[in-house]
Amino acid sequence: MPTRLSSTESARGTPAPASARSPRSERRAPPRRRHGLRRPPTLALHRALPPLLRRDLLRLFENAAAGGSVVRLDAAGFRLLQVNDEALMREILLDKGRVYRKASLMRRLGAVTGEGLLINDGEVWKRHRRLANPALAAGSLPRYVPAMREAMAQTVARWRGGEAAAPLDLVAELSRTTLTSLLDSIFGIRGEAGMLNDRVAQVSGVIHALLDELVRQGSALAAPPLSWPTPANLRFRRRIAEVNAILDDIIAKRREDLADTDAPADLLGQWLQQRRRNPEHFSAVEMRDELMTMLIAGHHSLAIALAWALYHVALDADLQAEVSAEAATAPELPQSLEDLADLPLARGVLLEALRLYPQPPILLREAVAEHGLGGYHIRAGDQLVLSIPALHRDPAHWPQPERFDAGRFAGFNTDGMMQGHHLGFGGGPRSCIGRRFALLEGVLVLVEALRVFRLRPAAANAERVPPRFAGMLVPAAPLLVRAVPR
């Protein structure tokens, strides 16, 4: 059975209208062949142009998900192919012949992240991954748990101190939680007060504004390259320079404060010590680029996933009661990945949030050589969009795919997520290096929140908030809940 959304179903799992079952592009004359390969069908203009004009990329990806295993999205003026088939995604992500690299569209992100792991390739990527791996391996995670617990303790105190009737904006609240944890565990900055913390929080805010701007430009039918000296681009560059200067100052201060005999628990401190012992380790500029990447992946994306998770728990009283009971009977908050075995439902809530709202929802690759993919002709330079929602909402793998069901993940192997049809942390050798960190912190936050509070929607009978694409799958409106102490 094909591992993609059926062409007779919409991306939301409901029957598509008859006109959508046979896209116009597939009713035309057979496409030209090259070396026995077909040209991928093009998404019909009436399904591609309206979301592009509205800059609604999520709707564009959903429309293309129903069009076949590989669909051309040419309305933007360049050759862009969306891949919706799991077998083809696996072939791309496990590329052994080096036919693919990070896409040109993805490399635009380098304007924000520099040459971090998100966008670098080849030998540079291998070196960065090798140097970064030890500090984020499973055995290193317990050293970061105190920072996670302290950040959640501050969150609990903040929620207890608020008025019971005042709604909480989950994204804002959990962004504060994950940033506090990251400041301690990654930067070695403890406590919420202080000018340095404010500066890192400023960096985080600027980074996400820049990412929104990149998405806005990427979804425009005509946008000048970032290299052009337009007023918007000049402002963009000034903000990047501002962020780089702040991070450079933080690295310099941490280096000055670090004694040769210290055994730091924070990741930056570990890297600086390793640099002193080995001049081939990360340079200050490379550290800055990787820290920028971690601010995006280890703070913003985890906060959004946790917000969606707690929002769905607040909507489902039965699920909340089950997770709360599990949290109450667990011996203590998790200290390592092994402890998550005692919290299968809480772990399932996080994994289900990442299934329905993958962060990010697309992976981007670029073909570096002409080749065939699933019987289709792929040219060098083609940009490939791997649609994770197309896989995560495929009823062949996920019964009732639109339903939030944390029980799906009993016995699920998080070390083999791609084999389990789940690309919540990417897949293949380039899967997220911080996935274990995110799983441990995510479950810890969920357990402590539901151990201490009852959550309920801020407004009765409010319509469920849908997602929108802004680099991540963010809520289209604030996720508002009320937290009542137990």
Side-chain angles (χ1 to χ4, degrees):
M1 182 177 292
T3 53
R4 64 177 188 272
L5 286 176
S6 166
S7 61
T8 62
E9 295 176 335
S10 74
R12 296 196 178 277
T14 55
S19 60
R21 296 175 192 170
S22 271
R24 184 180 300 172
S25 57
E26 296 188 2
R27 296 199 301 268
R28 297 171 183 160
R32 293 179 296 173
R33 295 179 178 269
R34 182 182 178 87
H35 310 306
L37 300 173
R38 295 174 294 156
R39 189 174 70 178
T42 302
L43 183 65
L45 191 62
H46 73 278
R47 305 194 75 200
L49 193 56
L52 278 171
L53 291 174
R54 296 192 302 269
R55 296 186 178 180
D56 184 356
L57 292 185
L58 184 57
R59 177 59 61 186
L60 177 68
F61 299 147
E62 289 176 342
N63 288 348
S69 59
V70 183
V71 178
R72 290 176 58 182
L73 305 174
D74 285 357
F78 53 89
R79 181 153 165 128
L80 181 67
L81 310 177
Q82 180 167 313
V83 180
N84 303 308
D85 181 271
E86 184 194 28
L88 301 186
M89 292 185 201
R90 192 183 299 267
E91 183 177 337
I92 293 166
L93 294 173
L94 298 177
D95 173 31
K96 299 293 192 301
R98 300 297 180 264
V99 180
Y100 305 100
R101 65 178 180 182
K102 285 286 187 176
S104 297
L105 293 170
M106 184 70 176
R107 291 199 299 275
R108 293 186 65 173
L109 186 59
V112 178
T113 65
E115 292 297 321
L117 279 168
L118 272 178
I119 62 108
N120 59 26
D121 247 314
E123 294 304 315
V124 174
W125 175 82
K126 289 180 183 177
R127 174 176 171 271
H128 280 228
R129 185 83 178 204
R130 173 175 54 81
L131 293 176
N133 261 332
L136 291 166
S140 298
L141 295 183
R143 73 181 65 177
Y144 305 126
V145 169
M148 299 174 185
R149 298 186 69 163
E150 175 58 26
M152 195 55 201
Q154 293 178 21
T155 301
V156 167
R158 193 168 62 245
W159 291 8
R160 280 190 185 277
E163 296 181 11
L168 299 171
D169 182 331
L170 283 175
V171 172
E173 286 291 327
L174 293 166
S175 291
R176 188 171 175 181
T177 304
T178 57
L179 180 59
T180 301
S181 170
L182 183 143
L183 289 175
D184 190 341
S185 58
I186 304 300
F187 290 90
I189 302 170
R190 289 169 178 80
E192 285 196 288
M195 184 181 300
L196 198 56
N197 301 50
D198 293 340
R199 295 184 76 194
V200 178
Q202 178 187 1
V203 167
S204 177
V206 172
I207 286 173
H208 301 131
L210 294 174
L211 292 175
D212 285 345
E213 175 64 16
L214 282 176
V215 171
R216 188 191 67 78
Q217 290 196 20
S219 61
L221 290 176
L226 291 174
S227 58
W228 288 15
T230 65
N233 285 347
L234 291 174
R235 286 193 300 272
F236 191 88
R237 289 183 216 167
R238 283 196 298 271
R239 300 190 81 181
I240 290 173
E242 171 191 352
V243 166
N244 286 341
I246 293 173
L247 289 179
D248 286 341
D249 286 348
I250 290 170
I251 294 169
K253 185 178 187 306
R254 187 74 181 98
R255 185 190 298 113
E256 292 171 5
D257 294 341
L258 193 64
D260 289 338
T261 56
D262 286 349
D266 62 291
L267 183 142
L268 175 58
Q270 294 171 53
W271 284 354
L272 287 167
Q273 286 288 48
Q274 289 161 356
R275 174 72 178 184
R276 287 177 179 177
R277 297 168 188 150
N278 176 12
E280 297 302 315
H281 207 276
F282 285 135
S283 68
V285 171
E286 290 172 325
M287 288 183 200
R288 183 190 70 202
D289 291 347
E290 295 302 347
L291 292 172
M292 191 89 78
T293 297
M294 290 178 186
L295 276 169
I296 297 170
H299 155 46
H300 191 53
S301 61
L302 177 58
I304 295 169
L306 282 169
W308 284 117
L310 285 176
Y311 174 69
H312 276 275
V313 168
L315 292 173
D316 187 336
D318 292 338
L319 173 61
Q320 182 166 182
E322 292 177 27
V323 180
S324 300
E326 180 182 86
T329 57
E332 60 178 349
L333 290 177
Q335 302 288 321
S336 67
L337 288 179
E338 289 73 21
D339 293 339
L340 301 190
D342 296 325
L343 299 159
L345 194 57
R347 188 190 70 152
V349 168
L350 180 60
L351 291 172
E352 182 72 337
L354 285 168
R355 182 187 71 84
L356 284 172
Y357 311 100
Q359 309 293 339
I362 59 171
L363 301 175
L364 298 168
R365 295 293 185 269
E366 179 178 326
V368 298
E370 185 177 31
H371 65 286
L373 179 70
Y376 292 115
H377 173 225
I378 307 298
R379 303 182 308 192
D382 283 353
Q383 307 293 306
L384 281 71
V385 176
L386 280 63
S387 173
I388 300 177
L391 171 62
H392 283 189
R393 295 170 185 257
D394 181 355
H397 300 304
W398 306 100
Q400 295 181 283
E402 300 303 317
R403 181 171 172 247
F404 191 96
D405 181 3
R408 299 178 194 272
F409 297 96
F412 188 79
N413 179 13
T414 54
D415 286 329
M417 291 178 66
M418 185 163 66
Q419 287 70 35
H421 322 297
H422 196 307
L423 291 178
F425 293 107
R430 298 202 66 136
S431 60
C432 175
I433 193 172
R435 62 191 181 280
R436 297 181 183 92
F437 185 106
L439 277 170
L440 181 57
E441 181 171 18
V443 173
L444 186 152
V445 168
L446 288 169
V447 166
E448 185 65 357
L450 296 174
R451 178 183 283 180
V452 179
F453 299 99
R454 290 186 179 88
L455 302 181
R456 55 191 177 89
N461 302 320
E463 290 188 8
R464 184 165 295 188
V465 176
R468 69 178 180 87
F469 181 80
M472 307 293 179
L473 277 187
V474 302
L479 300 178
L480 300 177
V481 302
R482 290 187 171 86
V484 180
R486 292 185 180 276

